[in-house]
Amino acid sequence: MYSPAMDAEQVASPSAQATVGSLRERKHSRTRQEIVEAALGLFARHGFDAVTVTDIARRAEVGRTTFFRYFPDKQDVLFADEADLNTLLAGAMDGAAAPFGPLGDSLRDCVGVTRAGLLALADAVARQAIASPARHGIVTGHPQLEASAWSRQRAYIETATRELVRHGADEGTAGLAAHVATGCYGQARAESGDEPQRLPEATTRAFERLNGLSSTTL
Amino acid sequence: MYSPAMDAEQVASPSAQATVGSLRERKHSRTRQEIVEAALGLFARHGFDAVTVTDIARRAEVGRTTFFRYFPDKQDVLFADEADLNTLLAGAMDGAAAPFGPLGDSLRDCVGVTRAGLLALADAVARQAIASPARHGIVTGHPQLEASAWSRQRAYIETATRELVRHGADEGTAGLAAHVATGCYGQARAESGDEPQRLPEATTRAFERLNGLSSTTL
């Protein structure tokens, strides 16, 4: 049976839920950030290997159980923003692919679209490294963490392949373009080394040199 | 002071050492092989995660201490021949680079030389997977091991870069060629998936398609 009170409730309720939801989300995101900052501070001061999850939890004023609700282990704290970077990569590729229409089997177009995504990624990584030099220093000084950072590039290949296929590339062309373009990015990372502010320029240069393989501009 | 006996001793001694050395080496290599076979048999039957180092050592009839003298952990048993594969890669590149003279800054020549090395590698990996399908099945079914197999491609990049530089390539060109060519190999691995016998053909095809970026043949 109809009652104006029900309408009011139905209208109020999602909005109230949204407020509760966003309060909870804000709290969640704040705690996460506190854990990241506590961990980076400790890693920078004592070295990655000497710091335990218990140390991080204590410094962030949370329990170990809370820590593990946010991160599977202390290494993942260092790569906390990988999901954001993959989203950024996909978004930038989406924008770059728009003018092309279906990418089909054009390796050249697929590499071009992926290049646009990886340039946006390189900019973001450089900004992040400049904002948080501690994190960059911790990873580059540590072979196991460097290997881990490298293996995370695999996610970029998967993101890029998916985005190219979504824009009509055939799977083989998309995969090859994603692998080759991420190879250029990998070389740019290697070249910029402990000067992350050079990453965007090194990425641009790697793609320009790849161009040397072809007669016309990508 | 000179004495003919000293000469005889000096001549005999290295040869005796070589015999002892090669006996020891043969024993070392046999034990290593027994550990690999024990591990592969157990992984294939019970799954990688369910098998412990103690299980492997018992099956190979060695102690845990002996196991750890050969391998840092059970995962490394699966990748026991990576050093051989890197040697093979370097050797094949060395042969391919010989006719070129100093590679300098030619990305095209550097990619071509690396392609020859990676084709030899693909052949060896395919032969090995056909000879030991258990190993291939264990790795491809397991996300963590696949990630580990992928991260081992980083060693191929380093080997290839070093070999190109040794043949007169400048460092940036060598690194970019190694990254891009290994990208082609990575795509071939992804495409051949659980049919490793297709890896050599997939590798050839990836490089042919990369060719599509350029006007003239690599």
Side-chain angles (χ1 to χ4, degrees), chain A residues 82 85 114-115 117-126 149 153 156 178-192 199-200 202-203 206-207, chain B residues 176 179-180:
Chain A
E82 282 300 319
L85 291 175
T114 312
R115 175 175 65 171
L118 289 169
L119 282 172
L121 185 77
D123 277 333
V125 169
Q153 285 182 205
Y156 302 157
H179 272 91
V180 167
T182 307
C184 291
Y185 178 75
Q187 170 63 11
R189 277 189 70 115
E191 273 181 21
S192 54
L199 181 60
T203 306
F207 279 102
Chain B
L176 183 57
H179 272 91
V180 167

PDB file of all heavy atoms in Angstrom, chain A residues 82 85 114-115 117-126 149 153 156 178-192 199-200 202-203 206-207, chain B residues 176 179-180:
ATOM      1  N   GLU A  82      49.644   0.051  -7.751  1.00  0.00           N
ATOM      2  CA  GLU A  82      49.701  -0.606  -9.064  1.00  0.00           C
ATOM      3  C   GLU A  82      48.330  -0.666  -9.735  1.00  0.00           C
ATOM      4  O   GLU A  82      48.227  -0.516 -10.949  1.00  0.00           O
ATOM      5  CB  GLU A  82      50.278  -2.024  -8.934  1.00  0.00           C
ATOM      6  CG  GLU A  82      51.782  -2.057  -8.784  1.00  0.00           C
ATOM      7  CD  GLU A  82      52.533  -1.436  -9.962  1.00  0.00           C
ATOM      8  OE1 GLU A  82      52.128  -1.659 -11.122  1.00  0.00           O
ATOM      9  OE2 GLU A  82      53.512  -0.715  -9.715  1.00  0.00           O
ATOM     10  N   LEU A  85      47.722   2.577 -11.349  1.00  0.00           N
ATOM     11  CA  LEU A  85      48.550   2.779 -12.540  1.00  0.00           C
ATOM     12  C   LEU A  85      47.985   2.004 -13.725  1.00  0.00           C
ATOM     13  O   LEU A  85      47.994   2.486 -14.859  1.00  0.00           O
ATOM     14  CB  LEU A  85      50.008   2.366 -12.264  1.00  0.00           C
ATOM     15  CG  LEU A  85      50.767   3.275 -11.291  1.00  0.00           C
ATOM     16  CD1 LEU A  85      52.156   2.712 -10.991  1.00  0.00           C
ATOM     17  CD2 LEU A  85      50.891   4.698 -11.837  1.00  0.00           C
ATOM     18  N   THR A 114      49.386   2.007 -27.526  1.00  0.00           N
ATOM     19  CA  THR A 114      50.026   1.565 -26.282  1.00  0.00           C
ATOM     20  C   THR A 114      51.086   2.565 -25.838  1.00  0.00           C
ATOM     21  O   THR A 114      51.249   2.834 -24.643  1.00  0.00           O
ATOM     22  CB  THR A 114      50.653   0.169 -26.464  1.00  0.00           C
ATOM     23  OG1 THR A 114      49.694  -0.682 -27.087  1.00  0.00           O
ATOM     24  CG2 THR A 114      51.037  -0.437 -25.126  1.00  0.00           C
ATOM     25  N   ARG A 115      51.785   3.131 -26.816  1.00  0.00           N
ATOM     26  CA  ARG A 115      52.774   4.155 -26.489  1.00  0.00           C
ATOM     27  C   ARG A 115      52.126   5.313 -25.734  1.00  0.00           C
ATOM     28  O   ARG A 115      52.665   5.777 -24.717  1.00  0.00           O
ATOM     29  CB  ARG A 115      53.425   4.682 -27.770  1.00  0.00           C
ATOM     30  CG  ARG A 115      54.374   5.840 -27.494  1.00  0.00           C
ATOM     31  CD  ARG A 115      55.107   6.300 -28.725  1.00  0.00           C
ATOM     32  NE  ARG A 115      54.199   6.876 -29.720  1.00  0.00           N
ATOM     33  CZ  ARG A 115      54.602   7.504 -30.810  1.00  0.00           C
ATOM     34  NH1 ARG A 115      55.885   7.609 -31.061  1.00  0.00           N
ATOM     35  NH2 ARG A 115      53.731   8.003 -31.655  1.00  0.00           N
ATOM     36  N   GLY A 117      49.539   5.265 -23.857  1.00  0.00           N
ATOM     37  CA  GLY A 117      49.237   4.809 -22.504  1.00  0.00           C
ATOM     38  C   GLY A 117      50.483   4.765 -21.632  1.00  0.00           C
ATOM     39  O   GLY A 117      50.476   5.207 -20.474  1.00  0.00           O
ATOM     40  N   LEU A 118      51.562   4.243 -22.194  1.00  0.00           N
ATOM     41  CA  LEU A 118      52.786   4.091 -21.400  1.00  0.00           C
ATOM     42  C   LEU A 118      53.457   5.431 -21.127  1.00  0.00           C
ATOM     43  O   LEU A 118      54.121   5.600 -20.095  1.00  0.00           O
ATOM     44  CB  LEU A 118      53.745   3.125 -22.107  1.00  0.00           C
ATOM     45  CG  LEU A 118      53.275   1.663 -22.075  1.00  0.00           C
ATOM     46  CD1 LEU A 118      54.119   0.801 -23.021  1.00  0.00           C
ATOM     47  CD2 LEU A 118      53.320   1.085 -20.661  1.00  0.00           C
ATOM     48  N   LEU A 119      53.266   6.407 -22.021  1.00  0.00           N
ATOM     49  CA  LEU A 119      53.794   7.747 -21.741  1.00  0.00           C
ATOM     50  C   LEU A 119      53.053   8.365 -20.554  1.00  0.00           C
ATOM     51  O   LEU A 119      53.668   8.986 -19.687  1.00  0.00           O
ATOM     52  CB  LEU A 119      53.685   8.640 -22.980  1.00  0.00           C
ATOM     53  CG  LEU A 119      54.758   8.401 -24.040  1.00  0.00           C
ATOM     54  CD1 LEU A 119      54.458   9.183 -25.312  1.00  0.00           C
ATOM     55  CD2 LEU A 119      56.140   8.791 -23.504  1.00  0.00           C
ATOM     56  N   ALA A 120      51.727   8.160 -20.524  1.00  0.00           N
ATOM     57  CA  ALA A 120      50.945   8.667 -19.381  1.00  0.00           C
ATOM     58  C   ALA A 120      51.398   7.965 -18.095  1.00  0.00           C
ATOM     59  O   ALA A 120      51.546   8.587 -17.038  1.00  0.00           O
ATOM     60  CB  ALA A 120      49.456   8.438 -19.621  1.00  0.00           C
ATOM     61  N   LEU A 121      51.650   6.674 -18.208  1.00  0.00           N
ATOM     62  CA  LEU A 121      52.119   5.895 -17.056  1.00  0.00           C
ATOM     63  C   LEU A 121      53.487   6.406 -16.585  1.00  0.00           C
ATOM     64  O   LEU A 121      53.717   6.587 -15.381  1.00  0.00           O
ATOM     65  CB  LEU A 121      52.230   4.430 -17.487  1.00  0.00           C
ATOM     66  CG  LEU A 121      52.601   3.419 -16.415  1.00  0.00           C
ATOM     67  CD1 LEU A 121      51.396   3.113 -15.547  1.00  0.00           C
ATOM     68  CD2 LEU A 121      53.098   2.127 -17.040  1.00  0.00           C
ATOM     69  N   ALA A 122      54.380   6.637 -17.545  1.00  0.00           N
ATOM     70  CA  ALA A 122      55.724   7.116 -17.202  1.00  0.00           C
ATOM     71  C   ALA A 122      55.651   8.454 -16.479  1.00  0.00           C
ATOM     72  O   ALA A 122      56.370   8.682 -15.495  1.00  0.00           O
ATOM     73  CB  ALA A 122      56.577   7.239 -18.465  1.00  0.00           C
ATOM     74  N   ASP A 123      54.762   9.352 -16.952  1.00  0.00           N
ATOM     75  CA  ASP A 123      54.577  10.633 -16.274  1.00  0.00           C
ATOM     76  C   ASP A 123      54.137  10.431 -14.831  1.00  0.00           C
ATOM     77  O   ASP A 123      54.662  11.059 -13.914  1.00  0.00           O
ATOM     78  CB  ASP A 123      53.505  11.466 -17.002  1.00  0.00           C
ATOM     79  CG  ASP A 123      54.089  12.209 -18.197  1.00  0.00           C
ATOM     80  OD1 ASP A 123      55.294  12.506 -18.172  1.00  0.00           O
ATOM     81  OD2 ASP A 123      53.330  12.474 -19.149  1.00  0.00           O
ATOM     82  N   ALA A 124      53.154   9.534 -14.648  1.00  0.00           N
ATOM     83  CA  ALA A 124      52.625   9.306 -13.304  1.00  0.00           C
ATOM     84  C   ALA A 124      53.687   8.689 -12.391  1.00  0.00           C
ATOM     85  O   ALA A 124      53.835   9.084 -11.234  1.00  0.00           O
ATOM     86  CB  ALA A 124      51.396   8.403 -13.371  1.00  0.00           C
ATOM     87  N   VAL A 125      54.436   7.732 -12.924  1.00  0.00           N
ATOM     88  CA  VAL A 125      55.472   7.079 -12.117  1.00  0.00           C
ATOM     89  C   VAL A 125      56.556   8.084 -11.739  1.00  0.00           C
ATOM     90  O   VAL A 125      57.038   8.102 -10.602  1.00  0.00           O
ATOM     91  CB  VAL A 125      56.061   5.865 -12.877  1.00  0.00           C
ATOM     92  CG1 VAL A 125      57.317   5.345 -12.193  1.00  0.00           C
ATOM     93  CG2 VAL A 125      55.015   4.748 -12.976  1.00  0.00           C
ATOM     94  N   ALA A 126      56.923   8.949 -12.682  1.00  0.00           N
ATOM     95  CA  ALA A 126      57.940   9.960 -12.385  1.00  0.00           C
ATOM     96  C   ALA A 126      57.442  10.923 -11.311  1.00  0.00           C
ATOM     97  O   ALA A 126      58.163  11.236 -10.362  1.00  0.00           O
ATOM     98  CB  ALA A 126      58.305  10.726 -13.656  1.00  0.00           C
ATOM     99  N   ALA A 149      59.299  -5.470  -9.013  1.00  0.00           N
ATOM    100  CA  ALA A 149      58.817  -4.325  -9.793  1.00  0.00           C
ATOM    101  C   ALA A 149      58.758  -4.708 -11.270  1.00  0.00           C
ATOM    102  O   ALA A 149      57.813  -4.379 -11.979  1.00  0.00           O
ATOM    103  CB  ALA A 149      59.745  -3.121  -9.596  1.00  0.00           C
ATOM    104  N   GLN A 153      55.385  -5.434 -14.423  1.00  0.00           N
ATOM    105  CA  GLN A 153      55.173  -4.976 -15.800  1.00  0.00           C
ATOM    106  C   GLN A 153      54.306  -5.970 -16.588  1.00  0.00           C
ATOM    107  O   GLN A 153      53.712  -5.617 -17.590  1.00  0.00           O
ATOM    108  CB  GLN A 153      56.518  -4.790 -16.518  1.00  0.00           C
ATOM    109  CG  GLN A 153      57.210  -3.535 -16.059  1.00  0.00           C
ATOM    110  CD  GLN A 153      58.527  -3.260 -16.765  1.00  0.00           C
ATOM    111  OE1 GLN A 153      59.382  -2.591 -16.219  1.00  0.00           O
ATOM    112  NE2 GLN A 153      58.700  -3.770 -17.967  1.00  0.00           N
ATOM    113  N   TYR A 156      50.975  -4.683 -16.838  1.00  0.00           N
ATOM    114  CA  TYR A 156      50.797  -3.650 -17.872  1.00  0.00           C
ATOM    115  C   TYR A 156      50.542  -4.309 -19.230  1.00  0.00           C
ATOM    116  O   TYR A 156      49.738  -3.823 -20.021  1.00  0.00           O
ATOM    117  CB  TYR A 156      52.024  -2.740 -17.979  1.00  0.00           C
ATOM    118  CG  TYR A 156      52.395  -2.013 -16.702  1.00  0.00           C
ATOM    119  CD1 TYR A 156      53.686  -1.553 -16.487  1.00  0.00           C
ATOM    120  CD2 TYR A 156      51.447  -1.779 -15.709  1.00  0.00           C
ATOM    121  CE1 TYR A 156      54.035  -0.877 -15.329  1.00  0.00           C
ATOM    122  CE2 TYR A 156      51.789  -1.110 -14.545  1.00  0.00           C
ATOM    123  CZ  TYR A 156      53.081  -0.677 -14.355  1.00  0.00           C
ATOM    124  OH  TYR A 156      53.433  -0.017 -13.210  1.00  0.00           O
ATOM    125  N   ALA A 178      51.533  -5.001 -27.240  1.00  0.00           N
ATOM    126  CA  ALA A 178      51.670  -4.758 -25.797  1.00  0.00           C
ATOM    127  C   ALA A 178      53.044  -5.213 -25.302  1.00  0.00           C
ATOM    128  O   ALA A 178      53.694  -4.512 -24.516  1.00  0.00           O
ATOM    129  CB  ALA A 178      50.565  -5.482 -25.031  1.00  0.00           C
ATOM    130  N   HIS A 179      53.506  -6.375 -25.772  1.00  0.00           N
ATOM    131  CA  HIS A 179      54.824  -6.873 -25.356  1.00  0.00           C
ATOM    132  C   HIS A 179      55.946  -5.952 -25.856  1.00  0.00           C
ATOM    133  O   HIS A 179      56.871  -5.625 -25.114  1.00  0.00           O
ATOM    134  CB  HIS A 179      55.060  -8.287 -25.901  1.00  0.00           C
ATOM    135  CG  HIS A 179      54.559  -9.377 -25.008  1.00  0.00           C
ATOM    136  ND1 HIS A 179      53.291  -9.898 -25.102  1.00  0.00           N
ATOM    137  CD2 HIS A 179      55.144 -10.053 -23.984  1.00  0.00           C
ATOM    138  CE1 HIS A 179      53.137 -10.847 -24.198  1.00  0.00           C
ATOM    139  NE2 HIS A 179      54.230 -10.959 -23.498  1.00  0.00           N
ATOM    140  N   VAL A 180      55.874  -5.582 -27.129  1.00  0.00           N
ATOM    141  CA  VAL A 180      56.948  -4.768 -27.711  1.00  0.00           C
ATOM    142  C   VAL A 180      56.971  -3.374 -27.077  1.00  0.00           C
ATOM    143  O   VAL A 180      58.035  -2.863 -26.708  1.00  0.00           O
ATOM    144  CB  VAL A 180      56.770  -4.681 -29.244  1.00  0.00           C
ATOM    145  CG1 VAL A 180      57.657  -3.608 -29.849  1.00  0.00           C
ATOM    146  CG2 VAL A 180      57.076  -6.041 -29.876  1.00  0.00           C
ATOM    147  N   ALA A 181      55.788  -2.780 -26.912  1.00  0.00           N
ATOM    148  CA  ALA A 181      55.728  -1.432 -26.334  1.00  0.00           C
ATOM    149  C   ALA A 181      56.201  -1.463 -24.876  1.00  0.00           C
ATOM    150  O   ALA A 181      56.942  -0.576 -24.438  1.00  0.00           O
ATOM    151  CB  ALA A 181      54.310  -0.875 -26.430  1.00  0.00           C
ATOM    152  N   THR A 182      55.802  -2.485 -24.134  1.00  0.00           N
ATOM    153  CA  THR A 182      56.251  -2.583 -22.745  1.00  0.00           C
ATOM    154  C   THR A 182      57.756  -2.841 -22.689  1.00  0.00           C
ATOM    155  O   THR A 182      58.421  -2.441 -21.733  1.00  0.00           O
ATOM    156  CB  THR A 182      55.456  -3.665 -22.002  1.00  0.00           C
ATOM    157  OG1 THR A 182      54.056  -3.389 -22.182  1.00  0.00           O
ATOM    158  CG2 THR A 182      55.749  -3.662 -20.510  1.00  0.00           C
ATOM    159  N   GLY A 183      58.284  -3.484 -23.741  1.00  0.00           N
ATOM    160  CA  GLY A 183      59.738  -3.621 -23.853  1.00  0.00           C
ATOM    161  C   GLY A 183      60.409  -2.255 -23.943  1.00  0.00           C
ATOM    162  O   GLY A 183      61.427  -2.014 -23.285  1.00  0.00           O
ATOM    163  N   CYS A 184      59.830  -1.348 -24.721  1.00  0.00           N
ATOM    164  CA  CYS A 184      60.376   0.020 -24.806  1.00  0.00           C
ATOM    165  C   CYS A 184      60.328   0.701 -23.442  1.00  0.00           C
ATOM    166  O   CYS A 184      61.286   1.352 -23.017  1.00  0.00           O
ATOM    167  CB  CYS A 184      59.574   0.855 -25.812  1.00  0.00           C
ATOM    168  SG  CYS A 184      59.791   0.320 -27.514  1.00  0.00           S
ATOM    169  N   TYR A 185      59.208   0.514 -22.758  1.00  0.00           N
ATOM    170  CA  TYR A 185      59.065   1.108 -21.418  1.00  0.00           C
ATOM    171  C   TYR A 185      60.093   0.500 -20.460  1.00  0.00           C
ATOM    172  O   TYR A 185      60.704   1.209 -19.651  1.00  0.00           O
ATOM    173  CB  TYR A 185      57.634   0.875 -20.917  1.00  0.00           C
ATOM    174  CG  TYR A 185      57.376   1.398 -19.530  1.00  0.00           C
ATOM    175  CD1 TYR A 185      57.227   2.761 -19.297  1.00  0.00           C
ATOM    176  CD2 TYR A 185      57.280   0.529 -18.444  1.00  0.00           C
ATOM    177  CE1 TYR A 185      56.993   3.242 -18.020  1.00  0.00           C
ATOM    178  CE2 TYR A 185      57.043   1.003 -17.161  1.00  0.00           C
ATOM    179  CZ  TYR A 185      56.908   2.361 -16.949  1.00  0.00           C
ATOM    180  OH  TYR A 185      56.679   2.836 -15.684  1.00  0.00           O
ATOM    181  N   GLY A 186      60.298  -0.811 -20.559  1.00  0.00           N
ATOM    182  CA  GLY A 186      61.283  -1.494 -19.704  1.00  0.00           C
ATOM    183  C   GLY A 186      62.680  -0.940 -19.929  1.00  0.00           C
ATOM    184  O   GLY A 186      63.443  -0.719 -18.978  1.00  0.00           O
ATOM    185  N   GLN A 187      63.024  -0.705 -21.182  1.00  0.00           N
ATOM    186  CA  GLN A 187      64.330  -0.132 -21.485  1.00  0.00           C
ATOM    187  C   GLN A 187      64.420   1.291 -20.913  1.00  0.00           C
ATOM    188  O   GLN A 187      65.452   1.672 -20.361  1.00  0.00           O
ATOM    189  CB  GLN A 187      64.557  -0.125 -23.001  1.00  0.00           C
ATOM    190  CG  GLN A 187      65.769   0.668 -23.455  1.00  0.00           C
ATOM    191  CD  GLN A 187      67.096   0.123 -22.926  1.00  0.00           C
ATOM    192  OE1 GLN A 187      67.149  -0.975 -22.380  1.00  0.00           O
ATOM    193  NE2 GLN A 187      68.150   0.900 -23.048  1.00  0.00           N
ATOM    194  N   ALA A 188      63.329   2.037 -21.010  1.00  0.00           N
ATOM    195  CA  ALA A 188      63.328   3.395 -20.455  1.00  0.00           C
ATOM    196  C   ALA A 188      63.526   3.357 -18.939  1.00  0.00           C
ATOM    197  O   ALA A 188      64.239   4.181 -18.376  1.00  0.00           O
ATOM    198  CB  ALA A 188      62.023   4.107 -20.806  1.00  0.00           C
ATOM    199  N   ARG A 189      62.898   2.394 -18.290  1.00  0.00           N
ATOM    200  CA  ARG A 189      63.096   2.243 -16.840  1.00  0.00           C
ATOM    201  C   ARG A 189      64.548   1.934 -16.526  1.00  0.00           C
ATOM    202  O   ARG A 189      65.130   2.475 -15.590  1.00  0.00           O
ATOM    203  CB  ARG A 189      62.208   1.121 -16.298  1.00  0.00           C
ATOM    204  CG  ARG A 189      60.790   1.550 -16.000  1.00  0.00           C
ATOM    205  CD  ARG A 189      60.056   0.451 -15.257  1.00  0.00           C
ATOM    206  NE  ARG A 189      60.583   0.314 -13.911  1.00  0.00           N
ATOM    207  CZ  ARG A 189      59.880   0.565 -12.803  1.00  0.00           C
ATOM    208  NH1 ARG A 189      58.624   0.933 -12.886  1.00  0.00           N
ATOM    209  NH2 ARG A 189      60.426   0.427 -11.630  1.00  0.00           N
ATOM    210  N   ALA A 190      65.121   1.014 -17.306  1.00  0.00           N
ATOM    211  CA  ALA A 190      66.515   0.643 -17.073  1.00  0.00           C
ATOM    212  C   ALA A 190      67.425   1.855 -17.281  1.00  0.00           C
ATOM    213  O   ALA A 190      68.349   2.088 -16.498  1.00  0.00           O
ATOM    214  CB  ALA A 190      66.915  -0.503 -18.006  1.00  0.00           C
ATOM    215  N   GLU A 191      67.150   2.638 -18.322  1.00  0.00           N
ATOM    216  CA  GLU A 191      68.013   3.793 -18.617  1.00  0.00           C
ATOM    217  C   GLU A 191      67.879   4.904 -17.592  1.00  0.00           C
ATOM    218  O   GLU A 191      68.851   5.562 -17.259  1.00  0.00           O
ATOM    219  CB  GLU A 191      67.676   4.368 -19.998  1.00  0.00           C
ATOM    220  CG  GLU A 191      68.429   3.677 -21.102  1.00  0.00           C
ATOM    221  CD  GLU A 191      68.113   4.261 -22.468  1.00  0.00           C
ATOM    222  OE1 GLU A 191      67.638   5.410 -22.561  1.00  0.00           O
ATOM    223  OE2 GLU A 191      68.345   3.538 -23.453  1.00  0.00           O
ATOM    224  N   SER A 192      66.638   5.109 -17.107  1.00  0.00           N
ATOM    225  CA  SER A 192      66.472   6.225 -16.171  1.00  0.00           C
ATOM    226  C   SER A 192      66.937   5.837 -14.765  1.00  0.00           C
ATOM    227  O   SER A 192      67.319   6.696 -13.982  1.00  0.00           O
ATOM    228  CB  SER A 192      65.025   6.721 -16.164  1.00  0.00           C
ATOM    229  OG  SER A 192      64.142   5.666 -15.906  1.00  0.00           O
ATOM    230  N   LEU A 199      62.310   9.345 -16.576  1.00  0.00           N
ATOM    231  CA  LEU A 199      61.554   8.249 -17.192  1.00  0.00           C
ATOM    232  C   LEU A 199      60.691   8.676 -18.387  1.00  0.00           C
ATOM    233  O   LEU A 199      60.721   8.004 -19.427  1.00  0.00           O
ATOM    234  CB  LEU A 199      60.716   7.528 -16.117  1.00  0.00           C
ATOM    235  CG  LEU A 199      59.883   6.344 -16.586  1.00  0.00           C
ATOM    236  CD1 LEU A 199      60.734   5.230 -17.186  1.00  0.00           C
ATOM    237  CD2 LEU A 199      59.036   5.771 -15.432  1.00  0.00           C
ATOM    238  N   PRO A 200      59.925   9.793 -18.272  1.00  0.00           N
ATOM    239  CA  PRO A 200      59.089  10.159 -19.432  1.00  0.00           C
ATOM    240  C   PRO A 200      59.923  10.417 -20.690  1.00  0.00           C
ATOM    241  O   PRO A 200      59.598   9.922 -21.769  1.00  0.00           O
ATOM    242  CB  PRO A 200      58.375  11.434 -18.952  1.00  0.00           C
ATOM    243  CG  PRO A 200      58.355  11.316 -17.461  1.00  0.00           C
ATOM    244  CD  PRO A 200      59.659  10.661 -17.106  1.00  0.00           C
ATOM    245  N   ALA A 202      62.924   9.290 -21.337  1.00  0.00           N
ATOM    246  CA  ALA A 202      63.532   8.034 -21.786  1.00  0.00           C
ATOM    247  C   ALA A 202      62.508   7.170 -22.520  1.00  0.00           C
ATOM    248  O   ALA A 202      62.843   6.473 -23.486  1.00  0.00           O
ATOM    249  CB  ALA A 202      64.120   7.276 -20.592  1.00  0.00           C
ATOM    250  N   THR A 203      61.244   7.217 -22.082  1.00  0.00           N
ATOM    251  CA  THR A 203      60.186   6.452 -22.751  1.00  0.00           C
ATOM    252  C   THR A 203      59.946   7.001 -24.146  1.00  0.00           C
ATOM    253  O   THR A 203      59.868   6.251 -25.125  1.00  0.00           O
ATOM    254  CB  THR A 203      58.886   6.496 -21.918  1.00  0.00           C
ATOM    255  OG1 THR A 203      59.177   6.046 -20.587  1.00  0.00           O
ATOM    256  CG2 THR A 203      57.813   5.602 -22.520  1.00  0.00           C
ATOM    257  N   ALA A 206      62.803   5.920 -26.345  1.00  0.00           N
ATOM    258  CA  ALA A 206      62.778   4.501 -26.724  1.00  0.00           C
ATOM    259  C   ALA A 206      61.816   4.280 -27.889  1.00  0.00           C
ATOM    260  O   ALA A 206      62.138   3.564 -28.841  1.00  0.00           O
ATOM    261  CB  ALA A 206      62.380   3.645 -25.523  1.00  0.00           C
ATOM    262  N   PHE A 207      60.644   4.920 -27.834  1.00  0.00           N
ATOM    263  CA  PHE A 207      59.688   4.744 -28.935  1.00  0.00           C
ATOM    264  C   PHE A 207      60.191   5.419 -30.211  1.00  0.00           C
ATOM    265  O   PHE A 207      59.952   4.924 -31.310  1.00  0.00           O
ATOM    266  CB  PHE A 207      58.302   5.273 -28.536  1.00  0.00           C
ATOM    267  CG  PHE A 207      57.524   4.279 -27.708  1.00  0.00           C
ATOM    268  CD1 PHE A 207      57.424   4.421 -26.335  1.00  0.00           C
ATOM    269  CD2 PHE A 207      56.909   3.187 -28.305  1.00  0.00           C
ATOM    270  CE1 PHE A 207      56.717   3.503 -25.571  1.00  0.00           C
ATOM    271  CE2 PHE A 207      56.199   2.262 -27.546  1.00  0.00           C
ATOM    272  CZ  PHE A 207      56.103   2.422 -26.171  1.00  0.00           C
TER     273      PHE A 207
ATOM    274  N   LEU B 176      67.604  -1.662 -25.799  1.00  0.00           N
ATOM    275  CA  LEU B 176      66.293  -1.553 -26.447  1.00  0.00           C
ATOM    276  C   LEU B 176      66.025  -2.774 -27.332  1.00  0.00           C
ATOM    277  O   LEU B 176      64.938  -3.358 -27.297  1.00  0.00           O
ATOM    278  CB  LEU B 176      66.218  -0.262 -27.274  1.00  0.00           C
ATOM    279  CG  LEU B 176      64.866   0.007 -27.948  1.00  0.00           C
ATOM    280  CD1 LEU B 176      63.737   0.054 -26.930  1.00  0.00           C
ATOM    281  CD2 LEU B 176      64.913   1.314 -28.752  1.00  0.00           C
ATOM    282  N   HIS B 179      65.197  -5.736 -25.118  1.00  0.00           N
ATOM    283  CA  HIS B 179      63.845  -5.630 -24.557  1.00  0.00           C
ATOM    284  C   HIS B 179      62.779  -5.920 -25.611  1.00  0.00           C
ATOM    285  O   HIS B 179      61.819  -6.648 -25.358  1.00  0.00           O
ATOM    286  CB  HIS B 179      63.608  -4.226 -23.978  1.00  0.00           C
ATOM    287  CG  HIS B 179      64.036  -4.066 -22.549  1.00  0.00           C
ATOM    288  ND1 HIS B 179      65.291  -3.641 -22.190  1.00  0.00           N
ATOM    289  CD2 HIS B 179      63.378  -4.286 -21.379  1.00  0.00           C
ATOM    290  CE1 HIS B 179      65.375  -3.589 -20.869  1.00  0.00           C
ATOM    291  NE2 HIS B 179      64.224  -3.980 -20.348  1.00  0.00           N
ATOM    292  N   VAL B 180      62.932  -5.310 -26.770  1.00  0.00           N
ATOM    293  CA  VAL B 180      61.916  -5.465 -27.819  1.00  0.00           C
ATOM    294  C   VAL B 180      61.887  -6.908 -28.324  1.00  0.00           C
ATOM    295  O   VAL B 180      60.822  -7.507 -28.487  1.00  0.00           O
ATOM    296  CB  VAL B 180      62.186  -4.463 -28.965  1.00  0.00           C
ATOM    297  CG1 VAL B 180      61.371  -4.803 -30.201  1.00  0.00           C
ATOM    298  CG2 VAL B 180      61.874  -3.047 -28.502  1.00  0.00           C
TER     299      VAL B 180
END
